[in-house]
Amino acid sequence: MEKLDRITINPNVCLGQPTIRNMRITVSFVIKMLASTRSIQAVLEAYPELEAEDIQQALEYAAWAVADRVYPIPTA
């Protein structure tokens, strides 16, 4: 895993959730915006304090966080 120097975890910020550069923008919020079909450019325009590298590292962190977990998908 590459260095994720833009992802911070501080128990005093957003209850210790991973955030972008200690701002009150969580990794999960960024991922949810992208998952809801917003483009990277739309996210950057909506949150000008974010940079493209912030979003890239949020994606890398999310991929790393779920890499070793298995989630069963219920079948009908």
Side-chain angles (χ1 to χ4, degrees):
M1 178 175 61
E2 293 183 32
K3 183 177 177 184
L4 298 176
D5 57 348
R6 292 172 178 255
I7 307 301
T8 53
I9 299 174
N10 180 338
N12 297 317
V13 177
C14 294
L15 302 172
Q17 294 181 59
T19 61
I20 307 297
R21 293 185 284 126
N22 232 2
M23 294 186 285
R24 295 188 181 279
I25 300 175
T26 63
V27 169
S28 66
F29 181 71
V30 172
I31 299 303
K32 287 174 187 175
M33 284 193 295
L34 295 171
S36 69
T37 69
R38 289 195 185 200
S39 68
I40 291 174
Q41 188 59 41
V43 174
L44 292 173
E45 289 171 6
Y47 295 89
E49 60 270 41
L50 291 176
E51 300 172 1
E53 184 64 21
D54 296 328
I55 294 177
Q56 180 62 41
Q57 285 196 19
L59 288 167
E60 289 176 26
Y61 180 86
W64 172 79
V66 299
D68 292 331
R69 297 182 185 161
V70 176
Y71 297 98
I73 299 174
T75 58

